[in-house]
Amino acid sequence: MATSGFTDLREKLQSMVPHNRDAHSKRREGNNNKRKHDASEEEQSDPEELRETEEARKVRSGITQLSVFSADECALIEAKIDEVVSRAEKGLYREHTVDRAPLRNKYFFGEGYTYGSQLEKRGPGQERLYSKGEVDDIPDWVHELVIRRLVARRVIPAGFVNSAVINDYRPGGCIVSHVDPIHIFERPIVSVSFFSDSALCFGCKFQFKPIRVSEPVLLVPVRRGSVTVLSGYAADEITHCIRPQDIKERRAVVILRRTRPDAPRLETNSLNKVVLSVSSERQKILKPKRSRRKADPDAAHRPRILEMDKEENRRSVIPPRRRQRSGSGSEHWRRSHEAAGSYSQPDDSSSFVRKVKMRRH
């Protein structure tokens, strides 16, 4: 002990305490820093965020956008779209060429198909092409001004398009999340935008009354005169939509597609059933209004009592012979009710009415 300079072991232990405290505090700081580092790594590697980031990357891989049409070319095509709208308002197209919806009208050319409430059975995979000749042919201006330009830019091959749809949106219009029917249309799906800029959203969920839309997995700006091509994951594995908040001005889009040769098609009889089912559904919506007045428990019986009173009054003015002849029917009615045990002899006319009323009730 003397050589170490301490005469008491307690003094030696006390001299070592500051050193131990320093070591302990350093270890604690090291652990805290490690926890912060681990927490930051966990925040950066949130599974949900990673999944959405990965899905957004997959969606982008299936999207191609090109700026093809100049402002002057857009103005020319937009004038042609206005002509389509005017012809539709005059009733110059076939019945299934025009499909009207709130804040959005759809015009089918070449091929049209049933969807949404038009389906006999709801759900993906139930869509059907209309029978041949139910919609108008693709207008010449679509071939000359739109399709030919896209073929020249090698966006689509020659002869690819046999279905053209024009969607005409008003401000606040939308189209809910959907996948273009895989069993009806080949890929790619080509759309050309006109009148104003907008956005195409992927992976949104819609809720209604009031309408609400969840945040998209990916939002793709769509400019006037631009061409958007969907294929792969973006066309087949995730829904796309147009949100109401993204249509601030009138906007129209020309969708160019090719139908599959084996796509299911409605027969004429089935088409008639679809029209009838839609009309019957509309009739079911019109329900009779219910009165808000309180029900009168005697209301159902009062008309009968009044008729009885009229009968009694009529009998009182009948000559005696006719009264005796007509009384046989009343006597028969009385006897039949006496046999059933449901009739009691009335004391006077007022009690007769009262008891009949109770019996009827």
Side-chain angles (χ1 to χ4, degrees):
M1 290 289 184
T3 56
S4 60
F6 295 97
T7 57
D8 192 337
L9 182 60
R10 286 174 295 184
E11 295 177 1
K12 183 177 181 180
L13 292 174
Q14 289 176 359
S15 66
M16 296 173 64
V17 168
H19 174 72
N20 291 338
R21 286 177 180 172
D22 293 339
H24 181 68
S25 62
K26 288 180 181 180
R27 283 198 299 271
R28 181 188 293 175
E29 291 176 0
N31 291 335
N32 290 338
N33 292 334
K34 185 177 180 181
R35 288 195 195 98
K36 291 179 181 178
H37 181 69
D38 293 341
S40 63
E41 285 186 348
E42 289 179 359
E43 291 176 357
Q44 293 176 359
S45 60
D46 181 21
E48 185 68 19
E49 290 184 3
L50 286 176
R51 186 190 66 79
E52 290 183 358
T53 302
E54 177 64 17
E55 190 167 24
R57 185 190 64 79
K58 291 179 181 178
V59 175
R60 275 196 201 91
S61 67
I63 301 174
T64 303
Q65 285 191 303
L66 301 169
S67 180
V68 176
F69 298 92
S70 66
D72 292 338
E73 290 171 331
C74 286
L76 178 59
I77 295 171
E78 288 161 3
K80 296 295 183 181
I81 293 174
D82 285 335
E83 290 180 10
V84 170
V85 174
S86 177
R87 287 176 60 84
E89 291 176 351
K90 295 175 182 177
L92 301 179
Y93 288 125
R94 296 170 188 171
E95 179 182 359
H96 297 291
T97 296
V98 184
D99 179 27
R100 302 185 186 279
L103 302 179
R104 189 206 77 222
N105 290 336
K106 186 185 287 284
Y107 306 93
F108 290 105
F109 296 105
E111 294 281 7
Y113 67 100
T114 60
Y115 67 99
S117 61
Q118 302 168 352
L119 301 176
E120 292 185 32
K121 295 181 180 179
R122 300 291 181 89
Q126 300 299 325
E127 298 88 353
R128 296 290 184 269
L129 288 173
Y130 287 120
S131 53
K132 286 287 188 179
E134 291 293 334
V135 302
D136 288 81
D137 295 333
I138 299 176
D140 292 338
W141 66 264
V142 175
H143 285 288
E144 296 170 1
L145 302 180
V146 182
I147 296 176
R148 186 176 297 176
R149 284 293 307 278
L150 298 183
V151 171
R153 292 288 298 266
R154 297 184 178 179
V155 177
I156 51 176
F160 176 79
V161 177
N162 67 351
S163 171
V165 178
I166 299 174
N167 284 341
D168 188 10
Y169 297 91
R170 296 295 173 183
C174 68
I175 186 167
V176 298
S177 297
H178 67 283
V179 172
D180 289 36
I182 298 175
H183 64 291
I184 289 183
F185 296 110
E186 295 182 357
R187 272 38 177 170
I189 299 162
V190 181
S191 61
V192 191
S193 296
F194 297 102
F195 287 107
S196 65
D197 298 342
S198 182
L200 184 64
C201 292
F202 293 84
C204 292
K205 294 181 180 179
F206 275 67
Q207 292 181 341
F208 301 92
K209 296 182 181 180
I211 188 168
R212 300 183 301 278
V213 187
S214 66
E215 288 297 317
V217 172
L218 180 67
L219 184 149
V220 179
V222 179
R223 308 297 181 191
R224 178 190 180 211
S226 68
V227 178
T228 303
V229 184
L230 301 183
S231 60
Y233 193 94
D236 300 338
E237 304 297 334
I238 190 170
T239 60
H240 59 273
C241 69
I242 303 293
R243 302 183 302 176
Q245 57 265 42
D246 295 326
I247 305 292
K248 299 179 176 60
E249 304 175 52
R250 182 191 177 188
R251 184 216 178 201
V253 57
V254 179
I255 304 172
L256 305 172
R257 293 175 291 202
R258 181 173 185 81
T259 58
R260 295 183 180 276
D262 58 348
R265 192 179 293 274
L266 281 177
E267 300 297 335
T268 305
N269 294 336
S270 300
L271 184 60
N272 293 334
K273 290 180 181 179
V274 171
V275 174
L276 290 175
S277 63
V278 172
S279 62
S280 63
E281 284 183 3
R282 290 176 180 173
Q283 289 176 359
K284 289 178 182 178
I285 295 173
L286 300 176
K287 297 180 179 179
K289 293 183 179 180
R290 293 183 178 180
S291 174
R292 297 186 178 273
R293 292 180 297 178
K294 292 184 178 180
D296 185 352
D298 298 330
H301 307 288
R302 190 170 294 118
R304 296 180 182 177
I305 296 169
L306 292 174
E307 290 297 328
M308 292 176 185
D309 292 342
K310 291 178 182 178
E311 181 67 19
E312 290 297 322
N313 294 333
R314 189 178 67 81
R315 288 176 183 172
S316 63
V317 297
I318 294 176
R321 291 182 180 179
R322 291 185 60 188
R323 191 186 308 168
Q324 186 177 2
R325 195 180 302 117
S326 63
S328 60
S330 299
E331 182 67 20
H332 175 73
W333 179 85
R334 184 180 65 81
R335 288 177 181 176
S336 64
H337 280 73
E338 282 180 339
S342 61
Y343 178 81
S344 59
Q345 183 66 32
D347 296 334
D348 53 18
S349 61
S350 61
S351 63
F352 174 78
V353 174
R354 179 177 57 81
K355 289 180 180 179
V356 169
K357 178 179 177 181
M358 292 175 65
R359 187 164 57 251
R360 290 283 184 179
H361 187 73

